[in-house]
Amino acid sequence: MKRLSLGLRDKDGALSVAKILVIVLLVLLMIVPLQMIRALVEERNERRLEAEQEIIWSWGGEQTVGGPVVVVPYMATRKDAEGKTERFVERAYFLPQTLEIRGEALPEERSRGIYEVTLYTSAFAVTGTFRTPDFSEWRVAESDILWEDAALVVELPDMRGLQEKVSLRWDGREIPFAADRGELGVYPGEIRAPLEVGILRAGATHGFALDLHIQGGRSLGFLPLGEETTVRLSSPWPSPSFGGAFLPAERTVGPEGFEAEWYVLSLGRGYPQSWRQGEIDPYTVAGSRFGVDLMTPVDTYMKTLRSVKYGMLFVLLPFLTFFLFEVFSGKRIHPFQYLLVGLAVSLFYLLLLSVSEHLRFGIAYLLASSGLTALITFYSGAVLLSWRRGLVMAPVLGAAYLFLYAALHSEDYALLIGSLGLAVILAGVMILTRKVNWYAPRTRREDGATSG
């Protein structure tokens, strides 16, 4: 079987080795612009996050409904360094027997410059029951309990999110809330409703209800403080991300929005229904948070960053195509021409980043990929002195950009798609070069024709 020989070298194959080393050096050199573009993508993403955080902070922050909790102070005793007994005020916390939260979150988009963020306004009906606080397990005398200073509190990460006055309905009585610092220490602020001696101790079980109107941004959460906690939430936002310590027991997500229901028992929560001050770490309570993020369906910066990770592959493909043309046609291509093509490939990611900040990612990807494919194809035709040979670049780059787009939209299968793509490229190169004699000089037909 006749084998082709390599026509890229002078005596003893010196030029062939040198050319391959130059191409390898150029491929490695392309790491510099790709890393610069990657750093730029990360910088723009950080700037976007800062802008979003400023908008969310001004609107009311990421909210979590932390309550209600009944707080009852009492007198405790301890001995000081001199052995004298001293009395001080300590607090006990009691969680509801049942807690049910029903509500709706209405999203709206706000922008600052080119950056957009999803905010929401929400309305909740909070209902449930409390048992009368029991101090018997701590052996606290009845006379030491300060019933007159008891209160029901609801903590919030950001008090500015409250949009309307809140009143507590306790056993049919209406008690207004007032703002205060966070009693439990889970969140910095709270609303507090005082519970008089008579209404707190009248009967074994007490019913409560309150309405919360909260605004915030990005995420909305709840603490499962009830012995049985039920949360029902609906919203017209079509792309929720449920997370936290508990996932919804039931959920429905569609183009018109979502509905979700959580049901949490105290057995899976990690802290009891009552404790004294200092016995439970506030971070333990905060760790039981669950809820939903009103996430943006397409994060252009993350997709652009992921695409840059495939940058070396896209530099290698046109370089490899040029090299194969040199092998099979004998046409010499200058390293500077390789360099220009490599820079054009790197420019794709910069165009994708800048255009996707103003247009949808899919449109930006189409414009950037088609523009760079046309440019490289045009330049290849001029370099190779044949438009037919130059047009080979169009399907090569077109298939590569389609492969990349599929990988970006299939995050779970990105590794599989990437490995299969590399296997196909390597197999193609091996098949095309299987008959190349890399040691013997090529006898060119045109030289034979001239001598004849």
Side-chain angles (χ1 to χ4, degrees), residues 6-171:
L6 183 63
L8 294 176
R9 53 188 172 83
D10 291 335
K11 297 177 181 179
D12 301 324
L15 183 58
S16 173
V17 174
K19 189 61 172 286
I20 293 174
L21 290 177
V22 169
I23 294 174
V24 171
L25 181 62
L26 289 174
V27 171
L28 296 177
L29 187 62
M30 287 299 100
I31 294 177
V32 176
L34 289 175
Q35 286 299 110
M36 293 175 64
I37 293 173
R38 180 170 183 168
L40 179 61
V41 175
E42 292 174 347
E43 178 189 343
R44 300 290 292 182
N45 188 42
E46 290 178 3
R47 185 177 301 179
R48 186 259 306 191
L49 292 176
E50 290 175 0
E52 287 185 356
Q53 194 58 40
E54 288 179 4
I55 299 172
I56 292 173
W57 181 83
S58 300
W59 184 254
E62 300 183 32
Q63 294 290 359
T64 299
V65 179
V69 178
V70 168
V71 181
V72 182
Y74 65 96
M75 299 302 300
T77 59
R78 64 186 173 193
K79 291 186 178 180
D80 59 17
E82 299 178 356
K84 296 180 180 180
T85 301
E86 62 178 3
R87 291 169 63 82
F88 65 97
V89 177
E90 202 168 55
R91 291 171 176 80
Y93 307 105
F94 300 89
L95 305 186
Q97 180 182 6
T98 62
L99 175 61
E100 183 173 353
I101 303 175
R102 295 173 177 264
E104 181 180 21
L106 300 177
E108 57 180 284
E109 293 186 358
R110 295 291 179 91
S111 61
R112 175 169 295 179
I114 62 174
Y115 304 110
E116 293 185 350
V117 63
T118 303
L119 307 174
Y120 61 81
T121 55
S122 59
F124 297 106
V126 183
T127 59
T129 58
F130 275 95
R131 295 189 183 95
T132 296
D134 184 7
F135 284 83
S136 60
E137 63 175 304
W138 300 316
R139 299 180 181 179
V140 176
E142 180 70 21
S143 59
D144 289 335
I145 303 174
L146 305 177
W147 295 108
E148 65 276 11
D149 295 327
L152 182 142
V153 302
V154 177
E155 288 194 349
L156 296 170
D158 196 327
M159 301 294 291
R160 294 173 305 156
L162 288 172
Q163 295 303 296
E164 296 185 10
K165 292 183 178 181
V166 187
S167 295
L168 170 66
R169 296 182 293 279
W170 180 279
D171 290 341

Side-chain angles (χ1 to χ4, degrees), residues 275-293:
W275 67 88
R276 290 176 294 180
Q277 188 174 351
E279 291 181 342
I280 299 296
D281 190 339
Y283 290 105
T284 302
V285 181
S288 65
R289 179 189 184 274
F290 62 88
V292 62
D293 291 343

Side-chain angles (χ1 to χ4, degrees), residues 240-242 247-253 258-261:
S241 175
F242 302 104
L247 292 176
E250 298 179 6
R251 63 179 181 180
T252 303
V253 181
F258 72 88
E259 293 183 357
E261 180 176 338

Side-chain angles (χ1 to χ4, degrees), residues 17 24 198 265 332-333 355:
V17 174
V24 171
L265 295 175
R332 300 281 293 276
I333 302 176
V355 177

Side-chain angles (χ1 to χ4, degrees), residues 235-247:
S235 173
W237 187 251
S239 55
S241 175
F242 302 104
F246 304 94
L247 292 176

Side-chain angles (χ1 to χ4, degrees), residues 222-237:
F222 310 90
L223 296 181
L225 300 184
E227 192 170 335
E228 297 180 25
T229 302
T230 303
V231 177
R232 294 181 177 89
L233 178 65
S234 63
S235 173
W237 187 251

